[in-house]
Amino acid sequence: MAQQETDQQEINDGFVVDTENTEEREQAYRERGTARPITVVGNPVLHKECKDVTEFDDKLAALIDDMFASQRAAEGVGLAANQIGVDLKVFVYDCPDDDGVRHVGVVCNPVLEELPQDRRQLDESNEGCLSVPTAYAELARPDYAVVRGQDAQGNPIKVRGTGYFARCLQHETDHLYGYLYIDRLSKRDRKEALKQMAEGTARYETAPND
């Protein structure tokens, strides 16, 4: 099998239950994987829509393991495949919500659901990105998100999040369609974020842009 039994997630009301056995599941992925360098702004793979996942096999499982290892090494809460140079629509997450509840999981071929107007309450918190190291900026996003996609075996899933976790789901889905969070900023704020990045030093290994 491409994934071990400990990686399987239950479904509740149509949504993945991603809050159970989080430490054990994340550790199992991470210990099988190898951390890779993080791609940064300017790398072409970050600025185009990624390819759909069509093969749910051991190769995908190994990629997911490496993504969890890379995410932990960089101290991130979410990571898209193109952030380690892989042109595939898959992201992983290990992220708390605003209540401090930890969520751990994988989504392939994610699509954000359109929210009804009454759920579109905006949160204007700071946002950062491993691919824009040391930079942060305020960015308004809905404080509730639902993502549809597939799990590592190709089964259809839905993931929902509130607060910080909702921001994570939106941020990682954006990555796989070629958007960085700085692309959603004003020109002035984007320039300031890039300045912060240029003046800072990443605390993790990054891949040089050729």
Side-chain angles (χ1 to χ4, degrees):
M1 296 292 290
Q3 297 284 352
Q4 297 181 356
E5 291 182 357
T6 54
D7 299 335
Q8 296 176 353
Q9 298 172 319
E10 297 180 35
I11 303 295
N12 182 31
D13 295 331
F15 290 95
V16 165
V17 178
D18 55 8
T19 57
E20 296 179 354
N21 303 316
T22 53
E23 180 65 29
E24 294 85 349
R25 290 190 292 110
E26 189 275 340
Q27 183 176 352
Y29 283 121
R30 172 168 44 88
E31 290 184 347
R32 291 192 300 264
T34 301
R36 305 191 199 180
I38 303 296
T39 54
V40 297
V41 177
N43 189 307
V45 75
L46 293 174
H47 303 284
K48 64 176 184 176
E49 181 174 345
C50 292
K51 297 174 182 176
D52 290 344
V53 176
T54 57
E55 300 291 332
F56 298 86
D57 54 12
D58 288 342
K59 186 176 180 181
L60 175 64
L63 170 63
I64 290 168
D65 291 342
D66 285 357
M67 289 173 69
F68 272 102
S70 302
Q71 176 177 251
R72 174 57 71 94
E75 300 179 9
V77 296
L79 189 77
N82 53 357
Q83 291 185 274
I84 56 170
V86 179
D87 183 10
L88 278 180
K89 283 182 183 167
V90 54
F91 73 79
V92 303
Y93 59 87
D94 180 1
C95 184
D97 59 28
D98 283 0
D99 295 321
V101 177
R102 183 178 179 183
H103 299 257
V104 172
V106 179
V107 184
C108 301
N109 303 323
V111 177
L112 275 170
E113 284 193 356
E114 286 289 331
L115 294 179
Q117 196 61 36
D118 62 344
R119 295 307 300 264
R120 291 187 59 82
Q121 182 171 339
L122 294 180
D123 172 12
E124 298 186 2
S125 298
N126 266 9
E127 189 160 329
C129 179
L130 296 178
S131 292
V132 193
T134 74
Y136 296 90
E138 285 188 2
L139 178 62
R141 290 192 190 265
D143 68 354
Y144 177 78
V146 174
V147 171
R148 293 180 179 271
Q150 293 166 281
D151 65 15
Q153 291 78 39
N155 302 307
I157 56 171
K158 289 194 300 180
V159 183
R160 59 182 167 189
T162 58
Y164 187 53
F165 182 41
R167 182 175 294 274
C168 175
L169 293 175
Q170 294 168 83
H171 179 111
E172 300 308 330
T173 300
D174 269 358
H175 267 303
L176 300 177
Y177 290 87
Y179 295 100
L180 298 168
Y181 86 97
I182 59 172
D183 296 328
R184 296 189 176 276
L185 301 175
S186 68
K187 288 184 179 180
R188 179 179 178 179
D189 289 345
R190 187 180 193 277
K191 184 177 180 180
E192 174 60 27
L194 291 174
K195 180 183 177 183
Q196 291 178 37
M197 175 180 164
E199 293 175 347
T201 301
R203 64 182 182 274
Y204 43 84
E205 184 181 4
T206 59
N209 289 338
D210 298 327

